[in-house]
Amino acid sequence: MIKAFVVDNDRLRLTDDLQANGDKVVWADLVNPTKEEEATIESWLGIAIPTREEMEEIEISSRLYIEDGAYFMTATLPAQTEVDDPLMSPVTFALAGNRLITVRYHEPKAFKTFPLRAEKAATGCTSGDTILIGLLEAIVDRLADILERAGRDVEVISRDIFQATSTKASKRNRDFQELLKAIGRKEDIASSVRDSLISLQRLAGFLAHVATQTRMSKDIRARIKTLSRDVLSLADHATFLSQKISFLLDATLGMISIEQNAIIKIFSVAAVIFLPPTLVASIYGMNFDVIPELKWQLGYPFAIGLMILSAILPFWYFRRRGWL
């Protein structure tokens, strides 16, 4: 599908007829394009549209390059970020003269919000370069929102891990398996956003070079610098968030280890407590002819009392030492 936009009173307007408005189109958005749609754009602008396989290559030379007088820039962007399972896919931005071409195979939210905002208000997006800057700014704002939401969720997880557990029941009610799953989901989001920001950081550096080479306006160059600083600051925040998530993962595993050690300690103490009574019972269970207590009328109560006493003494000693 091809979404073509023209400028109408300093605002973007979606047009249905690319052929009739070809001279007025400033932005062509290719969403899951077919071979015929790619051929239409290529014949219209005289440039080669990269295939999906070419867009997914990770080397810089395949993502940032100049070809046929057009500037091609590819970044990895997330979609479906409302849930904890983001879809990561590359998006290519191509500046061909005064027009912007975008090629994508998923639906980042910025590609929905930015055209709506540019259609309702005069945002100054009247050419390919200004549309590109505005679109990149919307993408960065969206990534910032994702990081803020992930940060709030991480704070909730942190409180769940380190909350005061005054009763044994509250300790048992903590589901560490669910906590580990939540931590894993937040790490997926943080790492996905960090990968996206790294690709945008490289894109911004290449775009700054293009702005200097093509002598873009001073305002656009200033916005590119601001964009680069924003991307860098978000990348640092994403790194900090990943480090905090790693700390929470280690803390959760430590809590699990503590609980396992407490359970093992209980079994160990129980074994030690019941060991002396077992010894006494074993002695009186021996098949010897001469055991004085066998013919003693109080022999059975004596043996029972001895076993109880041998169990109480280790228990009392452990409690006094604070081991229980």
Side-chain angles (χ1 to χ4, degrees), residues 52 55-56 58 63 74-92 103-109 139 142-143 146-147 185-200:
R52 187 170 188 174
M55 292 169 58
E56 291 176 347
I58 62 175
R63 292 199 157 205
T74 301
T76 302
L77 302 181
Q80 301 177 3
T81 53
E82 290 79 8
V83 295
D84 290 336
D85 188 17
L87 173 62
M88 303 297 296
S89 186
V91 176
T92 295
V103 185
R104 56 192 175 92
Y105 293 89
H106 67 325
E107 195 70 33
K109 193 170 183 179
I139 291 171
R142 178 59 183 165
L143 292 176
I146 296 171
L147 283 178
R185 290 192 294 266
K186 296 311 167 186
E187 174 57 27
D188 286 341
I189 292 178
S191 61
S192 297
V193 172
R194 187 171 63 251
D195 291 342
S196 179
L197 289 169
I198 291 175
S199 64
L200 284 173

Side-chain angles (χ1 to χ4, degrees), residues 197-233:
L197 289 169
I198 291 175
S199 64
L200 284 173
Q201 189 175 359
R202 295 169 178 170
L203 187 151
F206 180 80
L207 185 58
H209 172 72
V210 172
T212 302
Q213 188 175 4
T214 57
R215 297 182 180 180
M216 293 183 184
S217 65
K218 185 177 180 181
D219 177 66
I220 292 180
R221 293 198 298 270
R223 290 174 66 182
I224 294 174
K225 290 182 180 179
T226 302
L227 181 71
S228 299
R229 289 194 294 267
D230 290 343
V231 171
L232 182 60
S233 63

Side-chain angles (χ1 to χ4, degrees), residues 14-280:
L14 183 64
T15 179
D16 297 330
D17 195 345
L18 177 63
Q19 300 295 336
N21 298 284
D23 296 336
K24 299 179 181 179
V25 172
V26 292
W27 178 21
D29 184 23
L30 281 70
V31 186
N32 292 311
T34 62
K35 296 295 183 181
E36 293 76 13
E37 291 172 340
E38 290 180 357
T40 299
I41 298 298
E42 289 175 347
S43 61
W44 175 45
L45 296 177
I47 61 174
I49 300 298
T51 63
R52 187 170 188 174
E53 290 74 17
E54 293 172 343
M55 292 169 58
E56 291 176 347
E57 294 181 2
I58 62 175
E59 58 267 24
I60 299 298
S61 59
S62 298
R63 292 199 157 205
L64 307 171
Y65 60 94
I66 304 173
E67 186 177 88
D68 297 329
Y71 302 92
F72 293 85
M73 296 157 280
T74 301
T76 302
L77 302 181
Q80 301 177 3
T81 53
E82 290 79 8
V83 295
D84 290 336
D85 188 17
L87 173 62
M88 303 297 296
S89 186
V91 176
T92 295
F93 306 86
L95 275 178
N98 200 36
R99 297 182 177 91
L100 172 67
I101 310 298
T102 55
V103 185
R104 56 192 175 92
Y105 293 89
H106 67 325
E107 195 70 33
K109 193 170 183 179
F111 282 84
K112 292 182 179 179
T113 58
F114 173 74
L116 293 176
R117 182 166 59 88
E119 182 180 4
K120 294 178 179 179
T123 57
C125 298
T126 57
S127 60
D129 50 4
T130 54
I131 294 173
L132 174 59
I133 298 300
L135 183 57
L136 290 176
E137 290 173 345
I139 291 171
V140 172
D141 289 341
R142 178 59 183 165
L143 292 176
D145 293 339
I146 296 171
L147 283 178
E148 290 174 1
R149 179 169 61 86
R152 290 192 296 268
D153 293 341
V154 168
E155 289 297 330
V156 173
I157 295 174
S158 178
R159 287 194 295 270
D160 290 340
I161 295 174
F162 299 109
Q163 64 181 351
T165 53
S166 57
T167 63
K168 293 182 179 179
S170 61
K171 291 181 180 179
R172 289 194 299 267
N173 290 334
R174 285 196 298 180
D175 193 341
F176 285 111
Q177 185 174 3
E178 291 299 323
L179 284 175
L180 287 175
K181 290 180 180 179
I183 291 173
R185 290 192 294 266
K186 296 311 167 186
E187 174 57 27
D188 286 341
I189 292 178
S191 61
S192 297
V193 172
R194 187 171 63 251
D195 291 342
S196 179
L197 289 169
I198 291 175
S199 64
L200 284 173
Q201 189 175 359
R202 295 169 178 170
L203 187 151
F206 180 80
L207 185 58
H209 172 72
V210 172
T212 302
Q213 188 175 4
T214 57
R215 297 182 180 180
M216 293 183 184
S217 65
K218 185 177 180 181
D219 177 66
I220 292 180
R221 293 198 298 270
R223 290 174 66 182
I224 294 174
K225 290 182 180 179
T226 302
L227 181 71
S228 299
R229 289 194 294 267
D230 290 343
V231 171
L232 182 60
S233 63
L234 288 179
D236 292 338
H237 184 73
T239 301
F240 162 76
L241 190 61
S242 294
Q243 292 174 350
K244 186 170 184 178
I245 292 173
S246 298
F247 165 73
L248 293 180
L249 176 61
D250 294 338
T252 304
L253 295 176
M255 293 288 187
I256 295 174
S257 178
I258 290 173
E259 288 204 352
Q260 289 177 341
N261 291 336
I263 295 172
I264 294 174
K265 183 179 72 172
I266 292 174
F267 280 105
S268 299
V269 171
V272 172
I273 289 175
F274 287 104
L275 184 60
T278 303
L279 177 62
V280 174

